[in-house]
Amino acid sequence: MLRFIVRRLIQVVPTLLLLSILLFAWLRSLPGGPAAALLGDKATPEKIAQLNTVLGLDQPVPVQYFRFLGRALTGDFGNSLITGEPVTTEIARALPATIELAMAALLLAVVLGIPLGYVAARYRGRPLDTTTVIATLVGVAVPVFFLGYLLKQFFAVDLGWFPPSGRQAVDIDATHVTGFAVLDGLVTREFDASWDALVHLVLPAVALATIPLAVIVRITRASVLDVMGSDFVRTANSKGLAPRTVRERHVLRNALLPVSTTIGLQTGLLLAGAVLTEKVFVWGGLGTLLAQAIERRDYPRLQAVVLLGALVYVIVNLLVDLSYAVIDPRVRVR
Amino acid sequence: MTSPRGSLRPRPPTLLDRRRRRVDELAEASGRSLTADAFRRLRRNPVAIVGAVIVGLFVLVSILAPWIAPHDAATAFPELQRTLRPDSIPGAQPGFPLGSDQNGRDFFSRMILASRQTLLVGVLATLIGLVLGVVIGALAGAFGGWVDTVLMRVTDVLLSIPSLLLAISIAALAAKPSQTTVIIAVALVSVPVFARLLRGSMLAQRESDHVLAATSLGVRRRSIVLRHMLPNAMGPVIVQATLTLATSILDAAALSFLGLGDGDPARAEWGLMLANAQSYLDVRPALAFWPAIAIILVALGFTLLGEALREALDPKGRR
């Protein structure tokens, strides 16, 4: 087991190295070169030449790359062009908001998706199944940001059930401990603050959860159908096991393996979807940072957020792989 | 021996029945190619028909757009502009079935003409991604060895970046954002997907008997790859391309929404119209509603068609 983990960890290293080369190439192909991109509107030929020397851009390319790698490894991604703050500080501040949103969305998608997919598979071909399948197909076809606006317009503006934007009401005086608004309230026993944060979370989480939900439902359904047709389920049935036991112990457990992979893959989508959802709901997390960075062409920030997204994606999928080995002993042998 | 009508128990097959079925099976196996077989299955699938109808309508409208649309997409009309205010955009009136857009242009005509641009975005992005991906995947699958290792390492890294974030990074590289940069960004994101898919099915082909047969007959390597392996390996790629048509249009809309698209207000494209309409949501939600419906329908159409194709081409699904 330990060997498996170590081997999987080592496999990630070349991926990360290649990723750094890609990022380096990306930086070098910025319009007008990195210096011009960094200076933005203030760029003059003299300033660009000066900055090139400071940044070491007059050095040979391999030297530049290793310097870049060294800085990246020590967590130095430069300062934001908008605020002048180190990008890492900005990201650290915005991260809890996005994690909170993404976790809420993922929770929704998993908690609703797996039972829905399972039920659809059990009643295959019946109206319930057909409706579910159609709904998942439509769910994937709706632009996330449009769905966000739709939810906001209907449930926040028209019905007034939920707040239209932000993470917390302005008049709530919450103490910040962890940065996770819902958790903070629980820790400090300010339950009204927690409740308020939760209410703010509902609409963005639903908007963000739609696509992962649709995907999880479909994968669960397909996987359950697949397992139900397999030999060991037939054997279990024919040796007279209670249908319920077969469903729970044989079908569901085996069907959940592909689903867990999908959940890992969906985290990437969640990060990307967060950019769109956060813009709609003025959430103030990483997505908002990224959206601003795009508008103002803040390249250091853009680069750092994208890198973080890739890192999280790689790590989550690594964890999913590892959990596979825990769930399914067959994986370890390979 | 005939059983009475309405009997619950099906009649046991007679020898003649079995013979007939066997002949049918043989005829099916010999008389129809794999493609024809897949196409036959496709025609029987209601999902495929719904998808094909939606896509067909979309293509038809985009071809006939200049003749269907009553007006030009870029012209502002004084009769619409007269009542156009920041807080009120005129709705339907004689000659303008969907009313005005935010600039006093005929919204209906823009909706119709936008089908062309949207189709263009989807098709171009998919085609660029497909061609590049097929070239890379075919090289990796055909050569194997270090070529395969290097190419697949790079695709793995690209796949490890969430696709929209990758598209954002690529689109942000453009000194001047435009429709073209959006198309390129969306296209490049799908390259690793196509490459990996094709490589996978090329590898499967390499192990297959007909390739072994061709090799032992002394067929040149080049024509084994191009004429024996590639055509047989394209199935999953074609399915993926159909699905990519849907995601390309959606991704392009997302990039437009994030301000990475074309600022050109004269251009009529559904994603762009939807993105631009967000500022007028309180004033006139229809401006967002119709492009959104159009995008959802088209994406749904391509997705349905893709799923049906997957089912038709998948040998596991065959009875």
Side-chain angles (χ1 to χ4, degrees), chain B residues 83-225:
Chain B
T83 45
L84 185 71
R85 272 170 207 93
D87 58 342
S88 119
I89 293 171
Q93 45 189 284
F96 304 101
L98 288 180
S100 163
D101 79 341
Q102 63 269 27
N103 293 340
R105 295 168 299 196
D106 178 31
F107 187 43
F108 179 69
S109 299
R110 284 178 68 76
M111 277 300 298
I112 298 291
L113 288 162
S115 61
R116 281 196 156 186
Q117 290 287 332
T118 309
L119 185 65
L120 193 74
V121 168
V123 169
L124 269 184
T126 307
L127 217 58
I128 297 172
L130 179 78
V131 169
L132 290 177
V134 163
V135 169
I136 293 174
L139 283 177
F143 285 102
W146 66 268
V147 179
D148 183 33
T149 313
V150 170
L151 287 175
M152 283 308 115
R153 273 284 163 217
V154 176
T155 42
D156 277 351
V157 172
L158 288 175
L159 283 175
S160 77
I161 306 173
S163 63
L164 190 64
L165 292 188
L166 185 60
I168 289 171
S169 325
I170 298 170
L173 282 180
K176 259 182 79 178
S178 69
Q179 192 83 341
T180 320
T181 58
V182 168
I183 293 176
I184 291 173
V186 172
L188 290 182
V189 167
S190 66
V191 171
V193 181
F194 283 122
R196 257 224 164 276
L197 259 180
L198 185 70
R199 180 237 182 207
S201 60
M202 287 281 278
L203 285 185
Q205 287 294 318
R206 224 164 46 168
E207 307 298 322
S208 68
D209 291 340
H210 72 269
V211 170
L212 184 70
T215 318
S216 46
L217 280 174
V219 180
R220 272 181 311 157
R221 222 179 120 79
R222 216 180 102 110
S223 63
I224 290 183
V225 170

